[in-house]
Amino acid sequence: MGERKVLNKYIPADFDPRLVPRSKRPKDDLVPVRMMLPFSIQCTTCSSFLYRGRKFNSKKEPVKGPGGKYLGIQRFRFYIKCSVCSRPITFLTDPKNADYEMENGATRNYDVHKDRERTEGEIESERAEEEKADTMK
């Protein structure tokens, strides 16, 4: 039973690590990632809803081309499959807005908290403009 929890393993004196074959992967290969869905979406094929927090086995790849980096931050593309119809769904990271953007296969559902933040920002900007234009204050 004590052999299961060994921290150090025996390495023979004549062991040469250069002789151990290493598996080589291409640089731009898809990396499997276990992730939770960061937002709620609706599949365009079967109209089923996939809710935020659902776990998926996804594939991650870096975005290539001119839109691949934003201020030196690498953008990533994630591939998942709909759990009902197995249609591929892709979405990208969006470092500019600290969010994600849907690419294809599904539509993103309405987010109440984002709309509230947007309207609060608009109200504050309108108040600032009114105060700036008001000569009595």
Side-chain angles (χ1 to χ4, degrees), residues 69-85:
K69 289 197 176 191
Y70 173 75
L71 298 176
I73 301 170
Q74 179 67 48
R75 297 181 69 198
F76 292 100
R77 177 176 288 119
F78 294 94
Y79 297 95
I80 63 171
K81 287 187 178 180
C82 176
S83 56
V84 176
C85 65

Side-chain angles (χ1 to χ4, degrees), residues 93-112:
T93 56
D94 185 12
K96 181 178 182 181
N97 300 320
D99 198 19
Y100 296 89
E101 61 183 68
M102 281 301 305
E103 193 171 26
N104 61 19
T107 56
R108 190 169 179 170
N109 291 354
Y110 177 72
D111 290 331
V112 177

Side-chain angles (χ1 to χ4, degrees), residues 11 30 35 41 44 48 66-67 81 109 111-112 120 125 132:
I11 299 173
L30 295 175
M35 67 177 293
I41 58 175
T44 54
S48 63
K81 287 187 178 180
N109 291 354
D111 290 331
V112 177
E120 287 175 357
S125 64
K132 194 176 189 181

Side-chain angles (χ1 to χ4, degrees), residues 17 19 24 31 50-51 57 59 61 64 68-72 78 80 93 97 99 101 106 114 116 121 123 135 137:
L19 300 177
K24 298 206 176 191
V31 179
L50 305 172
Y51 295 104
N57 291 324
K59 302 282 185 186
E61 74 170 353
K64 299 173 187 151
K69 289 197 176 191
Y70 173 75
L71 298 176
F78 294 94
I80 63 171
T93 56
N97 300 320
D99 198 19
E101 61 183 68
K114 287 192 176 192
R116 182 183 58 204
I123 290 170
T135 57
K137 286 189 176 183

